[in-house]
Amino acid sequence: MAQVVWTTIALAGVTTLILLVIAAPLGWWLARSRGWWKEAVAALTALPVVLPPTVLGFYVLIALGPNSPLMTLLQPFGVRTLAFTFTGLVIGSVLYSLPFAVQPVRNAFEAMGDRPLEVAATLRARPVDAFLHVAVPMASRGFLTAAVLVFAHTIGEFGVVLMIGGAIPGRTEVVSIRIFQDVEALNFADAHRLSAALVAFAFVVLFSLFLLQRRAAAERA
């Protein structure tokens, strides 16, 4: 049980860190770009919200399998497949939780407006400096919201991690899959304990997000 919990937390933590790094430039570009193609990128980014997890998991499984063009490129480096590995789980989780990271960050950048950047420009700040030292700190609540959502969303993943990871004990088995296995084995006591823990965790996450939104609204007022 401890190994399952640790694998789940490690997966959520690594996924969150990777997505915060990805969401910063991507959310900034979506918030600032005026090109029509940005909406196509935004739609592609949000696709996991409407796709069944098994569909996304299936295509990621194919992409990470030994016969895919991607793995063919990696075979000279000794990587034959990433399917049914923790690395494969991370890749699938990053893709599945991408919209939960990008959208809050994009919203935070859009809410910031142009004025802070104009002030930074008058002080001769380079665009990179303005982004790192002005935009990112001002969008900190967006990053915090993204981190909480991604971590919680990854904790509750089922379809994607089952398709890509295969529930290998000690390697790719996570809490949501263990609950499913306990129910299949009619081990309702353990399933109840894990399910109740996830319900409590979800409540704390949502309650924290609502408090953050309330505080942000009060500060704006």
Side-chain angles (χ1 to χ4, degrees):
M1 182 68 69
Q3 180 62 48
V4 174
V5 173
W6 166 247
T7 301
T8 305
I9 294 175
L11 177 63
V14 173
T15 300
T16 301
L17 290 176
I18 292 174
L19 278 177
L20 287 179
V21 174
I22 294 174
L26 183 54
W28 175 255
W29 181 79
L30 289 172
R32 307 295 299 177
S33 175
R34 297 294 180 264
W36 63 267
W37 57 85
K38 83 167 186 177
E39 301 307 335
V41 176
L44 187 63
T45 301
L47 202 57
V49 173
V50 296
L51 273 181
T54 49
V55 172
L56 179 62
F58 171 71
Y59 283 114
V60 174
L61 178 64
I62 296 299
L64 300 181
N67 297 322
S68 76
L70 176 61
M71 290 300 103
T72 301
L73 294 174
L74 295 178
Q75 283 179 5
F77 301 98
V79 181
R80 184 173 178 272
T81 180
L82 291 176
F84 309 114
T85 66
F86 183 79
T87 301
L89 280 188
V90 171
I91 294 173
S93 296
V94 165
L95 294 174
Y96 188 48
S97 295
L98 182 63
F100 296 90
V102 173
Q103 195 58 48
V105 173
R106 176 186 179 179
N107 291 342
F109 283 140
E110 288 177 342
M112 183 182 66
D114 296 330
R115 182 60 179 168
L117 298 176
E118 292 172 352
V119 173
T122 62
L123 297 174
R124 297 183 179 179
R126 295 181 303 170
V128 174
D129 292 330
F131 173 73
L132 294 176
H133 301 295
V134 178
V136 170
M138 291 189 67
S140 58
R141 278 202 173 86
F143 282 95
L144 180 59
T145 300
V148 173
L149 285 176
V150 169
F151 191 89
H153 190 245
T154 306
I155 291 288
E157 285 180 19
F158 177 75
V160 170
V161 295
L162 182 61
M163 292 286 289
I164 301 172
I168 302 173
R171 292 176 56 190
T172 61
E173 186 182 16
V174 296
V175 169
S176 58
I177 295 176
R178 173 59 70 88
I179 293 173
F180 177 74
Q181 291 173 334
D182 285 339
V183 172
E184 277 196 322
L186 302 181
N187 188 3
F188 294 133
D190 286 345
H192 172 67
R193 280 192 291 269
L194 287 174
S195 298
L198 288 185
V199 169
F201 174 74
F203 174 81
V204 170
V205 167
L206 292 174
F207 182 66
S208 301
L209 284 177
F210 291 148
L211 286 180
L212 285 173
Q213 292 173 355
R214 182 177 179 178
R215 180 177 297 181
E219 290 181 356
R220 287 196 298 269

